[in-house]
Amino acid sequence: MSKNKILVTRSSMPPFEEYVNEIKEIWESHWLTNMGPKHNQLKEKLKDYLGVDNISLFTNGHNALELCLQAMNLNGEVITTPFTFASTTHAIVRNGLTPVFCDIDPKDYTIDADKIESLVTDKTSAIVPVHIYGNICNIEKIEQIAYKYGLKVIYDAAHAFGIKYKGKGIGNYGDASIFSFHATKVFNTIEGGAVCYRDEEVGRTLYQLHDFGIKDAETVNGIGTNAKMNEFCAAMGICNLRYIDAEIAKRKKVYECYMDNLSGIDGLRVNVIQSDTVPNYSYFPVVIDEKIFGATRNEVMDNLMRNDIYSRKYFYPLTNAFDSYHGRFNPLQTPIALHISKRVLTLPMYADLDIAEVKRISQIIRSSANK
Ligand SMILES: *Cc1c(COP(=O)(O)O)cnc(C)c1O
């Protein structure tokens, strides 16, 4: 048995010397932040890797999303999913907008596009869907509804770095998509994020908003914040981007090993790769139906913990059940999301996870059944 703890994720890092070499120029230039050469270099490399025309970089994914919503000049209601990380809902609320929660599809956990239209009112201004676990939303149906009612679509693509859908980079869909480059994500800049956008006017607004709303030396015409990616984070991104394909290939091996060992177990649902997508293997969620499997999600989690393996209840609780929103939203209105959130467990998944450990984790899960 391994002596080491296995956490749900482990950050990808380049060789130390490579990073040191990358930041040498920063010592020569003394340019630490404010859209310096590393920032601009990373931006160009990301455009190329993601296959997008327009991208802006930020301190983190949350600020990217919050500022993107601000740049879109939205008002009233925004249709979104409660089955996500806190950031998605908070970004909507912090913009003074009202989230309207739509239930999710039980097969891929993304917003159920067939239920969106019934939630549209004359106050609706946008849809904020999430490509949760890297599972792609029903893009065609969402765009059809958005077109019909004149709504903006901003995808939270924090989990979807590098994914292609129907041959195109995922950042090309909707009015904008936001990515997170947090340490725990498939691609990291330590902390960081980006917005890919369609309209260049949005890009100009985003640029100002992430730098206090400053237009030029004597004009401040936006109420912005400080969300500029610094040179050290950009340098980390430049290094990590050199290894991203190899990292995703290693994740694929982990995914395949989990699938070999956990598919076809009654009461345990694995995450299936969707058609028409080139995936990134960002997460490995399982949904445990305790009546059929014979153990609850929490029992499986505890069993793993006893073996020093730390899985996570992503995403529990639903954001519409957060204490911060007590009395404002009702999770019973999204019953499928509520059902899944009580049964989902996200297993350890990262590029350097040893295949022998994946087999051991799977074995512990299998032996949890029907006890
Ligand atoms: C990680 C994450 C974010 C926020 O990204 P940060 O870079 O951590 O600010 C937003 N949405 C989802 C779904 C995420 O998982």
Side-chain angles (χ1 to χ4, degrees), residues 3 8 35 53 58 100 109-110 127 176 192-193 252 279 319 327 349:
K3 282 174 249 80
V8 74
M35 288 68 83
D53 293 330
F58 296 86
V100 173
Y109 323 118
T110 64
I127 309 171
K252 180 169 193 256
T319 65
M349 164 58 97

Side-chain angles (χ1 to χ4, degrees), residues 83 197 207 307:
F83 190 72
Y197 51 90
Y207 191 91
N307 289 275

Side-chain angles (χ1 to χ4, degrees), residues 190-255:
I190 308 171
E191 292 255 16
V195 178
C196 297
Y197 51 90
R198 181 166 291 168
D199 179 0
E200 290 189 13
E201 188 57 37
V202 167
R204 282 188 286 273
T205 309
L206 278 172
Y207 191 91
Q208 270 187 251
L209 287 177
H210 90 329
D211 192 20
F212 304 100
I214 297 170
K215 185 161 180 242
D216 57 49
E218 298 187 2
T219 322
V220 180
N221 62 357
I223 305 175
T225 183
N226 182 1
K228 305 180 298 284
M229 180 183 284
N230 71 56
E231 292 292 279
F232 291 84
C233 289
M236 189 67 156
I238 290 167
C239 294
N240 276 336
L241 201 54
R242 295 185 188 122
Y243 298 92
I244 187 69
D245 288 335
E247 292 286 289
I248 292 174
K250 287 202 258 175
R251 285 173 173 273
K252 180 169 193 256
K253 291 239 154 47
V254 173
Y255 173 83

Side-chain angles (χ1 to χ4, degrees), residues 60-62 84-85 87-88 130 156 158-159 180-182 185 192 283:
N60 56 57
H62 179 81
T84 183
F85 184 56
S87 172
T88 320
V130 182
D156 181 339
H159 298 177
S180 165
F181 306 151
H182 185 258
K185 302 285 171 30
Y283 296 88

Side-chain angles (χ1 to χ4, degrees), residues 77 79-80 100-103 115-121 124:
E77 297 173 359
I79 298 170
T80 188
V100 173
F101 293 102
C102 182
D103 213 348
K115 292 182 181 153
I116 293 176
E117 199 162 358
S118 67
L119 299 172
V120 175
T121 71
T124 312

Side-chain angles (χ1 to χ4, degrees), residues 63-130:
N63 282 337
L65 180 58
E66 203 173 299
L67 291 177
C68 183
L69 297 177
Q70 188 181 348
M72 294 277 173
N73 253 320
L74 307 174
N75 49 54
E77 297 173 359
V78 172
I79 298 170
T80 188
T81 169
F83 190 72
T84 183
F85 184 56
S87 172
T88 320
T89 302
H90 287 349
I92 294 168
V93 174
R94 289 169 60 84
N95 267 286
L97 301 161
T98 305
V100 173
F101 293 102
C102 182
D103 213 348
I104 61 170
D105 183 328
K107 290 187 300 298
D108 60 22
Y109 323 118
T110 64
I111 194 166
D112 185 344
D114 291 330
K115 292 182 181 153
I116 293 176
E117 199 162 358
S118 67
L119 299 172
V120 175
T121 71
D122 55 6
K123 295 198 196 84
T124 312
S125 62
I127 309 171
V128 176
V130 182

